[in-house]
Amino acid sequence: MNIGLNPRRIFLLTGAGISAESGLSTFRDKDGLWEKYRIEDVASIEGYERDPVRVLEFYNLRRGKLADVEPNAAHYALARLQQEWQARGGDVTLVTQNIDDLHERAGATRVIHMHGELAKQRCHECGDVALAEGDLLLELGCGACGRLGTLRPHVVWFGEMPLEMDRIGESLLAADLFVSIGTSGAVYPAAGFVDEARRNGVATLELNLEPSENAALFSDARYGKASVVTPAWVEELLNGAA
Ligand code: NAD
C-alpha cells in the first residue's frame, strides 16, 4: 500500500525496541535487567505493597542506567521528522511506551509518555509529580505534602491506567498515518492502536526488528534495526518518496 500520499498528521508509537541499541534492555532481552526481576514483582501495585524497597531499588537501578546511555539514530531521526514536518505545516504526535528520556534528549518535544517517566517521582498519597533528584528511598518525604515513605516512581504499572489516553485517542483518530516502531504489540492498550487506526481508515506502518504479534494488521512494514530502518524511512518521507 502506498503511504506516500503526503500524510499531514503522523502518529508515532515507540516501544522498548527503539531504545535497545542505546543499551536499555527490552522485556525480551536475555540478560537485561528484566531477567533478574519478575515483572509482577516490580511493575505492579501488589509488588510495591509487598516489598516497596525492592521495587524502588529496581527503578533506582534503571534511572541510574539512563546516565550511561545516549539516544541512537532512530531517536534523532524522529526528532528531526517532528521538527521538519512541523515547519512544513504538518503535525507529528510522538507517543512512547518507554519511560526513558531518550526522545527528549535527541531533541523531540511534546513527547507523550503513556507509561510515565523514570526521571520523575510521584507521591501515592497526594499525587504530586516532581523530578526525582536522586534515588527514591522509603525514608524520603514528599516535597508537596510532607508525608514520609509515599514516593514511588512516576511509571504506570500493570493494572493501572496509562496516562493521557484522551489526548492519545484524539490524535490517533485525527492522523493520516500511524507508525509503530520497536514495539512487540503485546501490551495493551498500545497494542490495540493499529486496529483502531485501521478501522478509521488511517494508513499503518510497522518498523520493527521482526514481525510483531499484530504484524498482520499493518498495511505496510519494514524490518531491521531501529537505528537503520527509522532514519531511512524518515529520509524518504522528507524527500517525498516514502
Ligand atoms: P517489548 O520488550 O515487549 O518488545 C520490544 C520490541 O522491540 C520487540 O518486538 C522486538 O522485536 C523489538 N526490537 C528489539 N530490538 C530492536 C531494535 N534494535 N530495533 C527495532 N526493534 C527492536 O517492548 P514494548 O513493546 O515496548 O513493551 C511494552 C512495555 O515495555 C512497555 O510497558 C514499556 O514501558 C516497557 N519497557 C520500556 C523500556 C524503556 O523505557 N526503554 C524498556 C523495557 C520495557
Side-chain angles (χ1 to χ4, degrees):
M1 177 176 170
N2 179 17
I3 52 161
L5 307 171
N6 195 11
R8 214 170 62 75
R9 287 170 303 243
I10 302 173
F11 183 108
L12 303 170
L13 170 70
T14 66
I18 197 168
S19 296
E21 290 164 77
S22 291
L24 295 176
S25 9
T26 67
F27 275 150
R28 288 152 183 241
D29 279 326
K30 277 292 162 276
D31 43 31
L33 262 183
W34 295 102
E35 273 289 287
K36 302 179 197 102
Y37 296 82
R38 294 191 322 159
I39 288 174
E40 54 273 33
D41 286 342
V42 295
S44 71
I45 191 69
E46 293 79 16
Y48 176 75
E49 283 167 353
R50 261 195 315 272
D51 193 347
V53 172
R54 184 171 166 77
V55 172
L56 293 181
E57 175 194 82
F58 173 75
Y59 289 96
N60 287 339
L61 280 172
R62 292 188 70 192
R63 194 177 311 104
K65 185 115 176 64
L66 283 186
D68 304 335
V69 300
E70 297 289 339
N72 64 54
H75 297 103
Y76 285 111
L78 296 187
R80 175 181 169 219
L81 175 65
Q82 204 182 32
Q83 284 153 16
E84 297 196 16
W85 213 243
Q86 198 82 29
R88 295 179 189 189
D91 185 58
V92 176
T93 299
L94 176 48
V95 176
T96 187
Q97 298 167 88
N98 295 345
I99 59 176
D100 66 56
D101 57 358
L102 295 179
H103 282 305
E104 287 90 345
R105 281 161 58 190
T109 54
R110 300 173 287 110
V111 182
I112 301 177
H113 283 270
M114 63 181 290
H115 291 165
E117 292 171 77
L118 203 44
K120 294 182 178 171
Q121 62 189 36
R122 184 165 82 232
C123 172
H124 63 69
E125 284 298 327
C126 75
D128 182 65
V129 175
L131 271 181
E133 277 164 16
D135 282 353
L136 287 186
L137 304 168
L138 270 190
E139 301 79 57
L140 294 177
C142 167
C145 71
R147 290 189 186 87
L148 291 181
T150 60
L151 297 179
R152 57 167 276 183
H154 182 48
V155 298
V156 174
W157 288 330
F158 287 100
E160 296 182 326
M161 184 61 92
L163 309 174
E164 306 210 52
M165 287 307 290
D166 289 347
R167 203 172 138 209
I168 290 173
E170 283 164 22
S171 300
L172 185 57
L173 294 186
D176 302 306
L177 172 64
F178 167 78
V179 189
S180 169
I181 306 162
T183 175
S184 61
V187 179
Y188 281 83
F193 290 175
V194 58
D195 199 32
E196 213 172 312
R198 219 170 58 124
R199 282 189 282 107
N200 284 283
V202 179
T204 55
L205 168 68
E206 166 161 275
L207 304 180
N208 207 34
L209 195 56
E210 54 194 31
S212 67
E213 291 186 20
N214 45 23
L217 297 175
F218 287 86
S219 43
D220 200 359
R222 296 178 183 196
Y223 296 113
K225 289 181 173 180
S227 67
V228 176
V229 294
T230 312
W233 169 69
V234 167
E235 191 67 40
E236 286 175 30
L237 188 67
L238 290 174
N239 290 329

